[in-house]
Amino acid sequence: MSGNTFGELFRFTTFGESHGPAIGVIVDGVPARLSLKAEDIQKDLDRRRPGQSSITTQRKEADQVEILSGVFEGVTTGTPIALLIRNTDTRPKDYSNIKDVFRPGHADYTYFAKYGVRDYRGGGRSSGRETACRVAAGAIAKKILLEKGIRITAYTLAVAGIYAKQINFDHIEQNMVRSPDNDQAKLMIEAIESARKERDSVGGIVEAVVKGCPPGLGEPVFDKLEARLGYALLSIGTIKGVEFGSGFASQHQKGSESNDLMVVKNNKIRTKTNHAGGIAGGISNGEDLVMRVVTKPPSSIAQKQVTVNTRLKTETIEVKGRHDPCLCPRVVPVVEAMIASVLVDFLFLQRRHSSSTL
Amino acid sequence: MSGNTFGELFRFTTFGESHGPAIGVIVDGVPARLSLKAEDIQKDLDRRRPGQSSITTQRKEADQVEILSGVFEGVTTGTPIALLIRNTDTRPKDYSNIKDVFRPGHADYTYFAKYGVRDYRGGGRSSGRETACRVAAGAIAKKILLEKGIRITAYTLAVAGIYAKQINFDHIEQNMVRSPDNDQAKLMIEAIESARKERDSVGGIVEAVVKGCPPGLGEPVFDKLEARLGYALLSIGTIKGVEFGSGFASQHQKGSESNDLMVVKNNKIRTKTNHAGGIAGGISNGEDLVMRVVTKPPSSIAQKQVTVNTRLKTETIEVKGRHDPCLCPRVVPVVEAMIASVLVDFLFLQRRHSSSTL
Amino acid sequence: MSGNTFGELFRFTTFGESHGPAIGVIVDGVPARLSLKAEDIQKDLDRRRPGQSSITTQRKEADQVEILSGVFEGVTTGTPIALLIRNTDTRPKDYSNIKDVFRPGHADYTYFAKYGVRDYRGGGRSSGRETACRVAAGAIAKKILLEKGIRITAYTLAVAGIYAKQINFDHIEQNMVRSPDNDQAKLMIEAIESARKERDSVGGIVEAVVKGCPPGLGEPVFDKLEARLGYALLSIGTIKGVEFGSGFASQHQKGSESNDLMVVKNNKIRTKTNHAGGIAGGISNGEDLVMRVVTKPPSSIAQKQVTVNTRLKTETIEVKGRHDPCLCPRVVPVVEAMIASVLVDFLFLQRRHSSSTL
Amino acid sequence: MSGNTFGELFRFTTFGESHGPAIGVIVDGVPARLSLKAEDIQKDLDRRRPGQSSITTQRKEADQVEILSGVFEGVTTGTPIALLIRNTDTRPKDYSNIKDVFRPGHADYTYFAKYGVRDYRGGGRSSGRETACRVAAGAIAKKILLEKGIRITAYTLAVAGIYAKQINFDHIEQNMVRSPDNDQAKLMIEAIESARKERDSVGGIVEAVVKGCPPGLGEPVFDKLEARLGYALLSIGTIKGVEFGSGFASQHQKGSESNDLMVVKNNKIRTKTNHAGGIAGGISNGEDLVMRVVTKPPSSIAQKQVTVNTRLKTETIEVKGRHDPCLCPRVVPVVEAMIASVLVDFLFLQRRHSSSTL
């Protein structure tokens, strides 16, 4: 709980500040003999990187990953895999005006209150930039899962109240907002662009679906599948809520409605409905895992705001730098990465039961 | 991550099945010289125990706690505190008819899929009965927090869509449903009783507020305050979603609305609004912590339901036993306990910074 | 690191004071469907219990174990196994004279310095009595290992400088001191009885051999097999040193002597010698694991000793109570238990490599 | 227990292979506002680096450390500190002849047995080169301890049976072997050089003394001070045994001899003797901590040795590369580093007791 390590058997530890020399991650617990190339990781990093479209921040970071250890002759060796990403487009001077001021909605004040000091360059460690390391680690986790037929897909379900009306996985990478509905995506993008023009920002909902998850993952009573997934997802800076299956809507259901009745299909126990989001008693039941998170509107907006400085005086601030008007499209791969890392942990843990065939 | 231990510095480990001889918990990491009596713990156990009112299960468990270690001459010694609760009103025979059948909405199938065996007596380990141990451990955590002026209050915000219209802490223990609004509580109770008469069940929302939480708690980037609280709360069996501050509603806000502007009051930095729920960048900011969880309608309903048995055959089942038609009132102390245990962990962790005065 | 939990995947948490109502342990991570009865555990507890022979303490504790959870219809269910041992022959009054005095060689002063308070009844938590819980947990670990053909045998190699001259496993349980050499055992017992007559105590060496350990256990670089075994063994109160294979003697070897040359036997890679104690690079190599620990002479001696009290005044003390003149025979099952728990952890961990057949 | 992370509150995670592009470490849990420069770390790295004298390996690595994160304007920020050391003098070709052969005494075979693959370039991850990362992390730990007046000193007590006859801390850095006795150091160096001429290697004993350690560190019952120190020290590749205070010699003492009698000096409780090595009941007692480890003779010797290859055939091998004939002088800073990291953990943990003034 030192704060910068996640996971138990599949465990990664990250470092790095937004405008320091580099960020990076050590991934420990990767099984030996997994084929792994930098491109396997780069692919997901490219989905998260800044500057990828007109509705994301225009900071230009190539986010090129370098593998420093743990891979030899194209396969993993079972030793820790270190991944390094140099920061190339740093502009610490953009932030010199906030050195002694706390930006509203940001972690500036809380970091100062906690540590008595802060790296004010672009939020330092509190910047969303650290999530690149999660995506890098998650790319490895996803590779491990894929070998077992487990596939995670996240997408922007809603932006500023505009919801996808269909869930078509093929659409997701076809529009800038990563919506599974190309038509609604247009409206979402309009909302984002409109917010940016008003020097403002918007929030949204990202949904994730895991297909091919075998029954038996999750470790009651404290490490229930929802608990570890919630832990993983709520550690992403912008996320302020998470729900599984029917989630918050289930308060409007009766037990007779929300109970997923069981049936036998292809000689397997399945459920007719999936209000539980694929999890009962904290353990996967073989149905799709379904969860949603809310991303709050980004705090960095190009408006003048009244705030407080380190001398406890009121001050007007205008946040410079290059920012995202909506985080959903870039959060999508981060959500996938965190889910993947949780599932790999549970997959490995389940192997302690000798009856396990996972 | 063996599943039955929670917390790092303040760490508790629970055991026990619903209809076995006993349940219990070992609490490790309690500072020495804390005054502690069984009554300190019993008080919260009584708020969770079955049979406390007409809208909870009628199982009669006194839930009397026995301190087996760690307390000497009225104070804690710094060694592990073991708490034992004997099960007295067990009726394993109530469950003989479900021995080979999987109850819909329950963990019967997933436990079987995971372990290849299950204790079918009242759900065994998957029963909500284990939460008594959390409440017992949490009572100690709350005592530690109270010495620092930190006070946690949870209550039933809504049942089946009926919301409290005021938040009056004095009301909470004055009505059976633990609502902060005695008037709306009547409607909630009606909804619960009506569901029970229809052999059905309802869900609800429990909200928790932490007053007196100092700034600086939470350990970015993975052990953000929301992340650990979400982890803790989502490990409670019935809970399928959690949100902080404005939570899911924040997708309808603009950044200019959701940013909590900072002001100075009494020489302290405070925020005008509290959309963030008292947490920025994963660290407490000194405002009230505010969070909500949804409890799904209990799966145990006295209706005939079609389901599947261990031989993969369809079967009709009628779940016997004594059950709760709505879990909110009994979940309230469990929510408080889990929040308390997280906060104590962070309080202790923060002391590694020598500037800390916590 | 709260101090009372050991292990990761196979994890146990203990509680209890020497003269409190009970001691006990929760064992988490035991695979489901292991056949388990109280007798399986009792057998090892009987090898550790006080009063078993004329050279151990005469405290009369039956050390009867009660299984409170985790076992149903004779097999483990995958949920935590709680084991309770009531203290029956407590004599707190024996210790009233040491309430304000620190016994030399004991943990009295350090517990007081650490916690600001102590349970002075028989050493409270610092008593060797807590090791009964380790033996109980270890008995389960040994059962898991036995299914894989891994067998741990510990014995008293030396007492007060008197060494076994042969290692005959059949002798071990045939003599009170648990030596693998019935002849030398007589001399060891004489030394122990002679020390007791002089109101004194003696130390010794316990050696452990693990047969059937497969290659591949151990997790470099920090969780090397020696590291985790050393951790486990040095957590036993009386032990002040541990060594593997040639151990401290290896400073008198040349590299050309200490290198274990490799050969092929029965189509397996084996070593000609075993100076490494079955471990190379922190990983088991398929040879017998061999390690030794030293137990210091027990601090409780029936002599008048000059010491200091809580008011920092000099005082003469005569320690009452019933004590062991040599700990070797009772430490033997504790050593086996700790080794077993480490090996089960590594066995489970190794399964994350899909090539693993363990 | 994924193997490449050590510590709890002060936690470091290392990566890197001997002949890969770089090695490094992420140090998490360092308190904010500690003054820290690369030179603070470089100083200890220079004591460990290869090629520092005629009795160490002649590999030329500058071991220049680069701070990538966690330090801003000369002080730590409380966020993870990443340290990178590029490998510059790699000669993977030196190892092409061992690609399919297992070197005797090395981890070649066990890595292959564990992972099914290995990085054969200079031992890959199993090389002692990884200990540079420990030294880097430990340098930070030592700085934290120094602020509290805790000072760790390790030195070569013996080489090949030749012991220091005096313990003079001033001598340690005055001779190549890091002995506290310049006279005996000459004999030790002769023994090492003589071994090298014979294409052989020798072992030795490193002793460490901690001055200024306050009473109260250590967390019974499993995280006793000896247990965590032993864990830390036995994780260093070359070390096959560890002992505290009188250690293995205590089997030759009576209880009346080994009990350290207590006295009052300067209003503090002290002990007359220090057979316990400063630890009673697993907790520091305020005396010097004293421990010793044995380093085995290095396995890499320039002799022809008969061994086995991956095809299970016998083969003669001559290990090339540049190697240490005795590891003691370079192990000294590694031992200090590991001890330091353990003590910082315990120092922080002790702060959970509100009575603590540490």
Side-chain angles (χ1 to χ4, degrees), chain C residues 3 110 114 161 163 200 216 218-219 221-224 226 231 235 240 242 244 251 256 276 280 350, chain D residues 3 110 114 161 163 200-201 216 218-219 222-224 226 231 235 240 242 244 251 256 276 280 350:
Chain C
T110 54
K114 180 176 187 65
Y163 277 78
D200 218 327
E219 298 285 328
V221 295
F222 297 114
D223 292 309
K224 291 196 170 84
E226 295 103 326
Y231 179 17
S235 75
K240 297 295 275 189
V242 60
F244 298 84
Q251 78 144 319
S256 56
Q350 182 61 2
Chain D
T110 53
K114 181 176 186 65
Y163 277 78
D200 216 328
S201 63
E219 297 287 327
F222 296 114
D223 292 309
K224 292 197 169 84
E226 295 102 327
Y231 178 18
S235 76
K240 298 296 276 189
V242 60
F244 298 85
Q251 77 143 321
S256 57
Q350 181 61 3

Short mmCIF file of all heavy atoms in Angstrom, two decimals, chain C residues 3 110 114 161 163 200 216 218-219 221-224 226 231 235 240 242 244 251 256 276 280 350, chain D residues 3 110 114 161 163 200-201 216 218-219 222-224 226 231 235 240 242 244 251 256 276 280 350:
data_model
loop_
_atom_site.label_atom_id
_atom_site.label_comp_id
_atom_site.label_asym_id
_atom_site.label_seq_id
_atom_site.Cartn_x
_atom_site.Cartn_y
_atom_site.Cartn_z
N GLY C 3 2.44 -8.12 11.31
CA GLY C 3 3.21 -8.94 12.23
C GLY C 3 2.63 -10.29 12.61
O GLY C 3 3.36 -11.16 13.06
N THR C 110 11.44 -5.26 26.03
CA THR C 110 11.23 -4.76 24.66
C THR C 110 9.74 -4.58 24.34
O THR C 110 9.37 -3.64 23.66
CB THR C 110 11.92 -5.67 23.61
OG1 THR C 110 11.49 -7.01 23.80
CG2 THR C 110 13.43 -5.59 23.73
N LYS C 114 8.19 -1.07 23.31
CA LYS C 114 7.50 -0.93 22.04
C LYS C 114 6.06 -0.45 22.23
O LYS C 114 5.59 0.44 21.53
CB LYS C 114 7.47 -2.27 21.31
CG LYS C 114 6.77 -2.23 19.95
CD LYS C 114 6.85 -3.55 19.21
CE LYS C 114 6.30 -3.38 17.80
NZ LYS C 114 7.06 -2.49 16.96
N GLY C 161 26.55 -28.83 22.19
CA GLY C 161 27.79 -29.31 21.60
C GLY C 161 27.85 -30.81 21.34
O GLY C 161 28.79 -31.31 20.74
N TYR C 163 26.71 -33.79 19.29
CA TYR C 163 26.10 -33.96 17.97
C TYR C 163 25.64 -35.40 17.73
O TYR C 163 26.26 -36.36 18.23
CB TYR C 163 27.12 -33.59 16.88
CG TYR C 163 27.18 -32.10 16.60
CD1 TYR C 163 27.87 -31.24 17.46
CD2 TYR C 163 26.53 -31.55 15.50
CE1 TYR C 163 27.92 -29.87 17.23
CE2 TYR C 163 26.58 -30.19 15.25
CZ TYR C 163 27.28 -29.35 16.11
OH TYR C 163 27.32 -28.00 15.87
N ASP C 200 19.48 -24.32 35.25
CA ASP C 200 20.01 -23.63 34.08
C ASP C 200 19.36 -24.21 32.82
O ASP C 200 18.42 -25.02 32.91
CB ASP C 200 21.54 -23.77 34.05
CG ASP C 200 22.22 -22.49 33.55
OD1 ASP C 200 21.61 -21.81 32.71
OD2 ASP C 200 23.33 -22.19 34.03
N GLY C 216 12.58 -25.70 -9.15
CA GLY C 216 11.76 -24.58 -9.62
C GLY C 216 11.10 -23.76 -8.54
O GLY C 216 10.48 -22.74 -8.84
N GLY C 218 10.90 -21.08 -5.49
CA GLY C 218 11.68 -19.90 -5.08
C GLY C 218 11.47 -18.80 -6.10
O GLY C 218 11.31 -19.09 -7.29
N GLU C 219 11.42 -17.55 -5.64
CA GLU C 219 11.10 -16.44 -6.53
C GLU C 219 12.17 -15.36 -6.42
O GLU C 219 12.06 -14.43 -5.62
CB GLU C 219 9.73 -15.85 -6.17
CG GLU C 219 8.56 -16.81 -6.30
CD GLU C 219 8.15 -17.07 -7.76
OE1 GLU C 219 8.30 -16.17 -8.59
OE2 GLU C 219 7.69 -18.19 -8.04
N VAL C 221 14.26 -11.96 -7.23
CA VAL C 221 15.51 -11.92 -6.53
C VAL C 221 15.33 -11.77 -5.03
O VAL C 221 16.25 -12.12 -4.28
CB VAL C 221 16.40 -10.75 -7.05
CG1 VAL C 221 16.79 -10.98 -8.51
CG2 VAL C 221 15.72 -9.41 -6.89
N PHE C 222 14.17 -11.29 -4.56
CA PHE C 222 14.04 -11.08 -3.12
C PHE C 222 13.43 -12.27 -2.39
O PHE C 222 13.67 -12.48 -1.22
CB PHE C 222 13.25 -9.80 -2.81
CG PHE C 222 13.94 -8.57 -3.32
CD1 PHE C 222 13.40 -7.80 -4.33
CD2 PHE C 222 15.16 -8.20 -2.79
CE1 PHE C 222 14.06 -6.67 -4.81
CE2 PHE C 222 15.83 -7.07 -3.26
CZ PHE C 222 15.27 -6.31 -4.27
N ASP C 223 12.58 -12.99 -3.10
CA ASP C 223 11.93 -14.12 -2.46
C ASP C 223 12.62 -15.43 -2.83
O ASP C 223 11.97 -16.42 -3.15
CB ASP C 223 10.44 -14.11 -2.80
CG ASP C 223 9.75 -12.93 -2.13
OD1 ASP C 223 9.94 -12.78 -0.91
OD2 ASP C 223 9.06 -12.14 -2.80
N LYS C 224 13.93 -15.39 -2.75
CA LYS C 224 14.70 -16.61 -2.94
C LYS C 224 14.26 -17.64 -1.90
O LYS C 224 13.78 -17.28 -0.82
CB LYS C 224 16.19 -16.30 -2.76
CG LYS C 224 16.77 -15.43 -3.88
CD LYS C 224 18.31 -15.50 -3.86
CE LYS C 224 18.91 -14.85 -5.09
NZ LYS C 224 19.05 -13.40 -4.97
N GLU C 226 16.00 -19.50 0.07
CA GLU C 226 16.68 -19.30 1.37
C GLU C 226 16.08 -18.11 2.12
O GLU C 226 15.98 -18.12 3.35
CB GLU C 226 18.17 -19.00 1.20
CG GLU C 226 19.01 -20.11 0.61
CD GLU C 226 19.31 -19.81 -0.85
OE1 GLU C 226 18.44 -19.21 -1.53
OE2 GLU C 226 20.40 -20.19 -1.31
N TYR C 231 13.38 -16.26 6.71
CA TYR C 231 12.34 -15.39 7.28
C TYR C 231 11.44 -16.22 8.21
O TYR C 231 11.19 -15.86 9.38
CB TYR C 231 11.56 -14.81 6.11
CG TYR C 231 10.41 -13.89 6.38
CD1 TYR C 231 10.20 -13.26 7.59
CD2 TYR C 231 9.49 -13.64 5.34
CE1 TYR C 231 9.13 -12.38 7.76
CE2 TYR C 231 8.42 -12.77 5.51
CZ TYR C 231 8.23 -12.16 6.73
OH TYR C 231 7.17 -11.30 6.90
N SER C 235 11.61 -16.27 12.54
CA SER C 235 10.46 -15.70 13.26
C SER C 235 10.08 -16.54 14.46
O SER C 235 9.22 -16.16 15.25
CB SER C 235 9.26 -15.57 12.31
OG SER C 235 8.66 -16.83 12.08
N LYS C 240 18.29 -17.97 16.67
CA LYS C 240 19.18 -16.81 16.46
C LYS C 240 20.10 -16.97 15.26
O LYS C 240 20.99 -16.13 15.04
CB LYS C 240 20.01 -16.55 17.72
CG LYS C 240 19.20 -16.20 18.96
CD LYS C 240 18.45 -14.86 18.85
CE LYS C 240 19.32 -13.68 19.22
NZ LYS C 240 18.50 -12.42 19.32
N VAL C 242 20.45 -19.18 11.13
CA VAL C 242 19.99 -20.20 10.18
C VAL C 242 21.04 -20.32 9.09
O VAL C 242 21.69 -19.34 8.73
CB VAL C 242 18.61 -19.82 9.60
CG1 VAL C 242 18.65 -18.50 8.85
CG2 VAL C 242 18.06 -20.90 8.67
N PHE C 244 22.10 -22.75 5.30
CA PHE C 244 21.65 -23.69 4.28
C PHE C 244 22.86 -24.44 3.73
O PHE C 244 23.91 -23.83 3.48
CB PHE C 244 20.94 -22.94 3.16
CG PHE C 244 19.71 -22.23 3.66
CD1 PHE C 244 19.81 -20.96 4.24
CD2 PHE C 244 18.48 -22.85 3.62
CE1 PHE C 244 18.68 -20.33 4.75
CE2 PHE C 244 17.35 -22.23 4.13
CZ PHE C 244 17.45 -20.96 4.70
N GLN C 251 32.87 -20.81 4.29
CA GLN C 251 34.00 -19.88 4.19
C GLN C 251 35.34 -20.63 4.22
O GLN C 251 36.38 -20.05 3.92
CB GLN C 251 33.94 -18.80 5.28
CG GLN C 251 34.39 -19.25 6.65
CD GLN C 251 35.14 -18.17 7.41
OE1 GLN C 251 35.96 -17.45 6.83
NE2 GLN C 251 34.87 -18.06 8.70
N SER C 256 36.14 -24.33 -6.03
CA SER C 256 36.26 -25.63 -6.70
C SER C 256 35.75 -26.77 -5.83
O SER C 256 35.43 -27.85 -6.32
CB SER C 256 37.72 -25.89 -7.09
OG SER C 256 38.54 -25.80 -5.92
N ALA C 276 25.12 -26.83 -1.61
CA ALA C 276 24.17 -25.72 -1.76
C ALA C 276 22.88 -25.96 -0.99
O ALA C 276 22.01 -25.09 -0.95
CB ALA C 276 23.85 -25.50 -3.24
N ALA C 280 19.98 -23.31 -5.68
CA ALA C 280 20.95 -22.52 -6.44
C ALA C 280 20.23 -21.30 -7.01
O ALA C 280 19.14 -21.42 -7.58
CB ALA C 280 21.57 -23.35 -7.55
N GLN C 350 4.39 -21.08 -8.34
CA GLN C 350 5.01 -21.61 -9.54
C GLN C 350 3.96 -21.94 -10.61
O GLN C 350 4.27 -21.94 -11.80
CB GLN C 350 5.85 -22.84 -9.18
CG GLN C 350 6.60 -23.49 -10.33
CD GLN C 350 7.62 -22.56 -11.00
OE1 GLN C 350 7.81 -21.42 -10.59
NE2 GLN C 350 8.24 -23.05 -12.04
N GLY D 3 8.40 -11.39 -6.20
CA GLY D 3 9.82 -11.68 -6.16
C GLY D 3 10.78 -10.53 -6.39
O GLY D 3 11.94 -10.63 -6.05
N THR D 110 18.73 -24.02 -12.50
CA THR D 110 17.48 -23.78 -11.77
C THR D 110 16.60 -22.76 -12.49
O THR D 110 15.37 -22.90 -12.50
CB THR D 110 17.75 -23.37 -10.31
OG1 THR D 110 18.64 -22.25 -10.30
CG2 THR D 110 18.35 -24.51 -9.52
N LYS D 114 12.93 -23.65 -13.74
CA LYS D 114 11.79 -22.86 -13.26
C LYS D 114 11.01 -22.23 -14.41
O LYS D 114 9.79 -22.27 -14.44
CB LYS D 114 12.29 -21.76 -12.33
CG LYS D 114 11.16 -20.90 -11.75
CD LYS D 114 11.68 -19.88 -10.77
CE LYS D 114 10.51 -19.14 -10.12
NZ LYS D 114 9.66 -20.00 -9.28
N GLY D 161 38.72 -18.14 6.62
CA GLY D 161 39.17 -18.51 7.95
C GLY D 161 40.09 -17.51 8.62
O GLY D 161 40.43 -17.66 9.79
N TYR D 163 40.47 -14.16 10.37
CA TYR D 163 39.57 -13.23 11.03
C TYR D 163 40.24 -11.90 11.36
O TYR D 163 41.44 -11.86 11.66
CB TYR D 163 39.03 -13.84 12.33
CG TYR D 163 37.87 -14.75 12.11
CD1 TYR D 163 38.06 -16.05 11.64
CD2 TYR D 163 36.55 -14.33 12.36
CE1 TYR D 163 36.98 -16.91 11.42
CE2 TYR D 163 35.48 -15.18 12.15
CZ TYR D 163 35.71 -16.45 11.68
OH TYR D 163 34.63 -17.29 11.46
N ASP D 200 40.73 -20.06 -8.64
CA ASP D 200 39.74 -20.54 -7.68
C ASP D 200 39.14 -19.34 -6.95
O ASP D 200 39.40 -18.18 -7.32
CB ASP D 200 40.41 -21.52 -6.70
CG ASP D 200 39.48 -22.66 -6.31
OD1 ASP D 200 38.26 -22.43 -6.26
OD2 ASP D 200 40.00 -23.76 -6.05
N SER D 201 38.33 -19.59 -5.95
CA SER D 201 37.68 -18.49 -5.24
C SER D 201 37.52 -18.85 -3.77
O SER D 201 37.64 -20.02 -3.41
CB SER D 201 36.31 -18.21 -5.86
OG SER D 201 35.47 -19.34 -5.72
N GLY D 216 12.26 -0.88 20.36
CA GLY D 216 10.88 -0.90 19.88
C GLY D 216 10.70 -1.30 18.43
O GLY D 216 9.57 -1.44 17.97
N GLY D 218 10.58 -3.84 15.25
CA GLY D 218 10.30 -5.26 15.06
C GLY D 218 8.83 -5.52 15.35
O GLY D 218 8.25 -4.84 16.21
N GLU D 219 8.24 -6.43 14.60
CA GLU D 219 6.80 -6.66 14.72
C GLU D 219 6.51 -8.14 14.97
O GLU D 219 6.29 -8.91 14.03
CB GLU D 219 6.08 -6.20 13.44
CG GLU D 219 6.19 -4.71 13.13
CD GLU D 219 5.35 -3.82 14.04
OE1 GLU D 219 4.26 -4.26 14.46
OE2 GLU D 219 5.80 -2.69 14.33
N PHE D 222 5.55 -12.73 13.54
CA PHE D 222 6.23 -13.22 12.34
C PHE D 222 7.26 -12.24 11.80
O PHE D 222 8.21 -12.63 11.15
CB PHE D 222 5.22 -13.59 11.25
CG PHE D 222 4.32 -14.72 11.66
CD1 PHE D 222 2.96 -14.53 11.85
CD2 PHE D 222 4.85 -15.97 11.90
CE1 PHE D 222 2.15 -15.57 12.25
CE2 PHE D 222 4.04 -17.02 12.30
CZ PHE D 222 2.68 -16.82 12.48
N ASP D 223 7.01 -10.97 12.03
CA ASP D 223 7.93 -9.97 11.51
C ASP D 223 8.89 -9.49 12.59
O ASP D 223 9.14 -8.29 12.75
CB ASP D 223 7.14 -8.84 10.84
CG ASP D 223 6.46 -9.33 9.58
OD1 ASP D 223 7.16 -9.93 8.76
OD2 ASP D 223 5.25 -9.15 9.43
N LYS D 224 9.42 -10.45 13.31
CA LYS D 224 10.47 -10.15 14.28
C LYS D 224 11.64 -9.49 13.55
O LYS D 224 11.86 -9.71 12.36
CB LYS D 224 10.94 -11.44 14.96
CG LYS D 224 9.88 -12.08 15.86
CD LYS D 224 10.51 -13.09 16.80
CE LYS D 224 9.55 -13.55 17.88
NZ LYS D 224 8.66 -14.65 17.42
N GLU D 226 14.80 -10.10 13.73
CA GLU D 226 15.70 -11.10 13.11
C GLU D 226 15.09 -11.68 11.83
O GLU D 226 15.81 -11.98 10.89
CB GLU D 226 15.96 -12.29 14.06
CG GLU D 226 16.71 -11.99 15.33
CD GLU D 226 15.72 -11.92 16.50
OE1 GLU D 226 14.57 -11.48 16.29
OE2 GLU D 226 16.14 -12.31 17.61
N TYR D 231 15.51 -12.40 6.27
CA TYR D 231 14.86 -12.41 4.95
C TYR D 231 15.64 -11.51 3.99
O TYR D 231 16.02 -11.92 2.87
CB TYR D 231 13.44 -11.89 5.17
CG TYR D 231 12.52 -11.75 4.00
CD1 TYR D 231 12.73 -12.40 2.78
CD2 TYR D 231 11.36 -10.98 4.13
CE1 TYR D 231 11.83 -12.25 1.73
CE2 TYR D 231 10.46 -10.84 3.09
CZ TYR D 231 10.70 -11.46 1.89
OH TYR D 231 9.80 -11.32 0.87
N SER D 235 18.37 -12.92 0.91
CA SER D 235 17.96 -12.70 -0.48
C SER D 235 19.14 -12.26 -1.36
O SER D 235 18.99 -12.15 -2.58
CB SER D 235 16.84 -11.66 -0.56
OG SER D 235 17.35 -10.35 -0.37
N LYS D 240 24.62 -17.74 2.39
CA LYS D 240 24.03 -19.04 2.74
C LYS D 240 23.78 -19.20 4.23
O LYS D 240 23.41 -20.30 4.67
CB LYS D 240 24.94 -20.16 2.23
CG LYS D 240 25.12 -20.21 0.72
CD LYS D 240 23.83 -20.51 -0.05
CE LYS D 240 23.54 -22.00 -0.16
NZ LYS D 240 22.42 -22.27 -1.10
N VAL D 242 22.95 -16.76 8.16
CA VAL D 242 22.91 -15.50 8.89
C VAL D 242 22.75 -15.82 10.38
O VAL D 242 22.11 -16.80 10.74
CB VAL D 242 21.75 -14.61 8.38
CG1 VAL D 242 20.40 -15.27 8.54
CG2 VAL D 242 21.74 -13.25 9.07
N PHE D 244 22.58 -13.84 14.55
CA PHE D 244 22.43 -12.61 15.32
C PHE D 244 23.08 -12.80 16.68
O PHE D 244 22.91 -13.84 17.31
CB PHE D 244 20.96 -12.27 15.48
CG PHE D 244 20.30 -12.02 14.16
CD1 PHE D 244 19.80 -13.08 13.40
CD2 PHE D 244 20.22 -10.74 13.64
CE1 PHE D 244 19.23 -12.86 12.15
CE2 PHE D 244 19.66 -10.50 12.39
CZ PHE D 244 19.17 -11.58 11.65
N GLN D 251 24.76 -22.31 21.19
CA GLN D 251 24.49 -23.68 21.67
C GLN D 251 25.54 -24.13 22.68
O GLN D 251 25.36 -25.13 23.34
CB GLN D 251 24.36 -24.67 20.51
CG GLN D 251 25.67 -25.08 19.89
CD GLN D 251 25.68 -26.56 19.47
OE1 GLN D 251 25.14 -27.40 20.18
NE2 GLN D 251 26.29 -26.82 18.33
N SER D 256 22.24 -19.16 31.86
CA SER D 256 22.80 -18.20 32.82
C SER D 256 23.93 -17.37 32.21
O SER D 256 24.26 -16.31 32.70
CB SER D 256 23.30 -18.93 34.07
OG SER D 256 24.25 -19.91 33.67
N ALA D 276 22.41 -11.21 22.70
CA ALA D 276 21.18 -11.22 21.90
C ALA D 276 21.33 -10.40 20.63
O ALA D 276 20.41 -10.37 19.81
CB ALA D 276 20.02 -10.68 22.74
N ALA D 280 15.53 -8.66 21.53
CA ALA D 280 14.89 -9.61 22.43
C ALA D 280 13.42 -9.73 22.05
O ALA D 280 12.74 -8.72 21.87
CB ALA D 280 15.04 -9.16 23.88
N GLN D 350 6.37 1.58 13.40
CA GLN D 350 6.26 1.85 14.84
C GLN D 350 5.44 3.13 15.09
O GLN D 350 4.86 3.29 16.16
CB GLN D 350 7.67 1.95 15.46
CG GLN D 350 7.71 2.20 16.95
CD GLN D 350 7.05 1.09 17.77
OE1 GLN D 350 6.59 0.08 17.25
NE2 GLN D 350 6.99 1.31 19.07
#
